[in-house]
Amino acid sequence: MLSERMLKALNEQLNKELFSAYFYLGIAAYFKDRSLEGFASWMEGQAEEELGHALRIYDYIFDRGGKVELERIEKPKGEFESPLKAFEAVYLHEVGVTQSIFKLADLAREENDHATYNFLQWFVEEQVEEEASTKAILDKLKIIGGSSQGLFMLDRELGARSAQLRGLLAQKA
Ligand code: FEO
């Protein structure tokens, strides 16, 4: 059984993961609007992943006999000065999510909730990957600067990578 504090914190994280899905979808729409289909596809893939994160927490709350409380989801930002600014927002968002997961793990330790602490380790590892992948793209955008040719090439690269990832996921399903 989950403590009240743990349950509240997990429900808050569930809301944050749902917001993350919405956040990525908003940025996907920003890129799609500019015909940067590769960037858009990458962001759509992220939105799907975030929904998966939310569902993991949703299932876990039920598995521990808790009650899921769905709250209002904040409106995400849909306009950015540039693709670089959009990726800066993405990277900062992921750094914030990492902090939030760490706080949850701290709370699980405080509450002597070994099951939740173990459950959260998947998220701890996932955040390392999320920060690294967004930082790598952000760094490339910094190198590209204002070059439209560079942006076009990165768009193609991200599109190909998203298609490959989705193909792998479809094979697993
Ligand atoms: Fe669910 Fe990107 O953190």
Side-chain angles (χ1 to χ4, degrees), residues 18-153:
L18 288 170
F19 171 75
S20 294
Y22 218 34
F23 170 77
Y24 277 114
L25 205 56
I27 305 179
Y30 161 81
F31 280 117
K32 224 172 165 62
D33 212 32
R34 278 148 192 84
S35 297
L36 288 165
E37 297 291 341
F39 279 98
S41 172
W42 191 89
M43 292 290 172
E44 286 161 10
Q46 288 294 116
E48 282 172 19
E49 270 194 30
E50 297 298 349
L51 196 54
H53 297 172
L55 288 173
R56 259 177 196 264
I57 298 173
Y58 171 93
D59 284 340
Y60 180 74
I61 292 174
F62 278 111
D63 285 349
R64 298 292 310 282
K67 187 174 186 303
V68 164
E69 296 272 0
L70 294 177
E71 299 291 342
R72 183 191 296 269
I73 303 168
E74 195 189 321
K75 183 176 170 150
K77 200 174 162 186
E79 275 306 321
F80 300 88
E81 271 173 51
S82 63
L84 175 69
K85 291 286 175 201
F87 259 91
E88 270 174 4
V90 164
Y91 178 63
L92 287 178
H93 177 75
E94 287 302 339
V95 170
V97 173
T98 303
Q99 291 310 313
S100 176
I101 296 288
F102 284 4
K103 275 192 196 153
L104 267 182
D106 286 345
L107 179 63
R109 251 198 315 228
E110 257 177 57
E111 301 274 307
N112 284 324
D113 186 342
H114 298 276
T116 302
Y117 185 80
N118 275 348
F119 166 73
L120 290 169
Q121 295 315 299
W122 182 90
F123 286 87
V124 169
E125 281 178 30
E126 176 73 3
Q127 281 313 118
V128 172
E129 200 187 306
E130 299 262 277
E131 279 191 30
S133 62
T134 52
K135 171 91 167 38
I137 300 170
L138 176 60
D139 287 347
K140 281 188 184 173
L141 281 167
K142 282 182 185 164
I143 294 167
I144 286 169
S147 153
S148 1
Q149 200 190 354
L151 194 63
F152 178 66
M153 280 170 67

